[in-house]
């Protein structure tokens, strides 16, 4: 993700999105932005609107109010140009022609993608490359009807990344995958984001997502009730001390301390990084605070989510 100089413009921009099914409001005034290189995980209880939001962001469903822009193009009024930047799996597992092989299905997808304005041609090398990336080389010449659920799921991700999109949107990409398959998807998503791709994925796998997403959006009852910046949360350290309030006062205002709070018997400080821990300890000692323990204050996304959803 871009961290220096002017922040990159959002690759995905959702403003004031509201959607009804009949009288039922499924999405209410959703705003979100995802920058190039950012992984945004969308989570929330069953039936709260994640798939509807993803369908609307990808242009498959129309909102009653609001706007979605992909790389600056409106996905509903300028759909072909907006989707030229997009790779997506919106229904899991993705739909394929069961009587054709995995390679043939990817070729069909590549041919359709080539019709989009400004698209580049996908060669056979790229087909082989994505099959290898998703560990499907051995299955490439087999009919999709012979694929397991997990293999079909991986073929869906292969088709989504085939054209090297700038925006990748995946609805529950790891459902039905075994632990190694889940790890594989995470590695692929991370590597695409490192290359500048903006990613939205919906998931119920909170503990895994906490290890590599940058941002988590919590959707309940069709409202985005919280947006959690995971990197900011994970920069916290806790100090077990004899006087948590005194420790917080000693740390507050130091140039490398971004935020301080207390949770007896701890003072929690958001530092610029691990290298600042000795500096913090020196200041605590100079302030007459006795420190018994210093450690990273791991953010428990699952616990946070539970509280947030229960009190939404
Ligand atoms: N085509 C439709 N017509 C009418 N109601 C719909 C339609 N699709 C979804 N809904 C309703 O919209 C709400 C949100 O559904 P959605 O599938 O977006 O939830 P979700 O958060 O993705 O759920 P899950 O975690 O179970 O996949 C639900 O109440 C659902 O019944």
């Amino acid at each position: 993700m871009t961290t220096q100089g002017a922040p990159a413009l959002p690759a995905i921009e959702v403003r004031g999105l509201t959607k009804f099914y009949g009288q039922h409001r499924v999405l209410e005034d959703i705003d979100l932005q995802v920058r190039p290189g950012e992984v945004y995980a969308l989570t929330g209880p069953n039936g709260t609107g994640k798939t509807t939001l993803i369908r609307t962001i990808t242009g498959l469903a129309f909102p009653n109010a609001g706007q979605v822009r992909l790389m600056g193009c409106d996905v509903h009024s300028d759909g072909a140009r907006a989707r030229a930047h997009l790779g997506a799996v919106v229904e899991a597992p993705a739909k394929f022609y069961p009587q054709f092989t995995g390679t043939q299905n990817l070729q069909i997808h590549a041919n359709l993608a080539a019709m989009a304005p400004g698209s580049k041609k996908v060669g056979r090398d790229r087909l082989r490359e994505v099959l290898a990336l998703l560990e499907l080389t051995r299955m490439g010449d087999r009919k999709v009807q012979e694929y397991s659920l997990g293999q079909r799921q991986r073929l869906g991700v292969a088709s989504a990344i085939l054209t090297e999109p700038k925006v990748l949107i995946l609805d529950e990409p790891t459902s039905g995958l075994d632990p190694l398959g889940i790890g594989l998807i995470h590695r692929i998503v991370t590597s695409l984001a490192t290359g500048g791709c903006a990613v939205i994925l919906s998931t119920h796998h909170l503990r895994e997502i906490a290890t590599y997403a940058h941002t988590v959006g919590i959707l309940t009852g069709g409202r985005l009730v919280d947006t959690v910046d995971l990197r900011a949360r994970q920069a916290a350290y806790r100090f077990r001390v004899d006087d948590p309030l005194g420790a917080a006062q000693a740390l507050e205002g130091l140039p490398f301390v971004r935020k301080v709070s207390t949770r007896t018997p701890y003072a929690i400080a958001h530092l610029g990084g691990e290298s600042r821990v000795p500096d913090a300890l020196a200041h605590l000692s100079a302030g007459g605070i006795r420190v018994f323990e210093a450690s990273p204050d791991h953010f428990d996304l699952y616990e946070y989510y539970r509280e947030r959803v229960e009190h939404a």
Side-chain angles (χ1 to χ4, degrees):
M1 220 185 135
T2 305
T3 52
Q4 288 176 342
L9 288 173
I12 307 169
E13 194 171 16
V14 175
R15 279 190 193 281
L17 206 73
T18 295
K19 171 135 187 91
F20 285 81
Y21 280 125
Q23 299 292 311
H24 179 40
R25 185 166 51 199
V26 184
L27 297 174
E28 185 180 344
D29 200 18
I30 305 282
D31 285 313
L32 67 85
Q33 294 188 341
V34 186
R35 297 187 184 283
E38 181 176 356
V39 178
Y40 184 106
L42 185 65
T43 192
N46 290 130
T48 50
K50 298 179 297 297
T51 297
T52 305
L53 178 55
I54 281 184
R55 286 177 59 79
T56 314
I57 294 175
T58 52
L60 287 176
F62 279 76
N64 295 82
Q67 202 182 44
V68 178
R69 289 183 167 274
L70 304 182
M71 303 303 291
C73 303
D74 188 300
V75 81
H76 296 105
S77 63
D78 193 7
R81 275 208 311 149
R83 280 194 293 272
H85 303 290
L86 173 69
V89 176
V90 178
E91 276 172 65
K95 297 255 184 306
F96 290 107
Y97 296 102
Q99 71 279 27
F100 292 152
T101 68
T103 306
Q104 286 167 334
N105 269 284
L106 290 184
Q107 185 64 63
I108 292 168
H109 181 79
N111 294 346
L112 288 173
M115 294 176 185
S119 60
K120 56 180 180 187
K121 198 172 173 327
V122 175
R124 289 200 67 81
D125 285 353
R126 178 65 184 159
L127 293 187
R128 276 194 286 273
E129 189 178 51
V130 292
L131 282 170
L133 212 52
L134 272 301
E135 297 180 1
L136 286 171
T137 300
R138 188 172 66 77
M139 295 298 294
D141 293 330
R142 299 265 290 272
K143 291 181 179 172
V144 168
Q145 64 198 14
E146 296 168 21
Y147 280 40
S148 73
L149 174 64
Q151 288 164 340
R152 212 170 305 176
Q153 189 85 321
R154 282 188 275 140
L155 189 63
V157 175
S159 76
I161 67 171
L162 192 58
T163 57
E164 301 177 74
K166 294 194 171 106
V167 173
L168 181 66
I169 299 184
L170 305 171
D171 193 8
E172 299 200 33
T174 53
S175 70
L177 292 188
D178 62 32
L180 294 181
I182 292 173
L184 177 67
I185 300 300
H186 289 180
R187 284 198 302 284
I188 290 171
V189 166
T190 302
S191 125
L192 287 170
T194 305
C197 183
V199 184
I200 292 183
L201 54 88
S202 74
T203 184
H204 294 290
H205 296 284
L206 294 184
R207 291 221 156 98
E208 289 148 17
I209 211 69
T211 63
Y212 77 101
H214 299 109
T215 313
V216 176
I218 301 177
L219 196 68
T220 78
R223 287 184 308 118
L224 200 52
V225 293
D226 207 344
T227 303
V228 186
D229 179 344
L230 282 177
R231 281 158 311 163
R233 301 268 172 182
Q234 281 154 353
Y237 290 83
R238 66 182 189 185
F239 300 90
R240 188 159 63 84
V241 291
D242 59 350
D243 176 7
L245 271 178
Q249 279 162 7
L251 294 173
E252 212 154 35
L254 294 174
F256 57 86
V257 175
R258 280 192 237 126
K259 200 171 121 193
V260 191
S261 58
T262 58
R263 194 173 64 223
T264 302
Y266 298 103
I268 320 277
H270 289 252
L271 308 176
E274 195 178 39
S275 62
R276 290 302 193 174
V277 173
D279 298 334
L281 288 170
H283 278 89
L284 290 171
S285 170
I289 307 289
R290 297 179 70 204
V291 182
F292 306 112
E293 176 197 324
S295 56
D297 189 49
H298 290 298
F299 174 62
D300 188 334
L301 179 61
Y302 173 77
E303 279 305 319
Y304 184 85
Y305 168 87
R306 201 167 58 83
E307 279 213 356
R308 213 60 195 80
V309 168
E310 276 174 7
H311 298 113

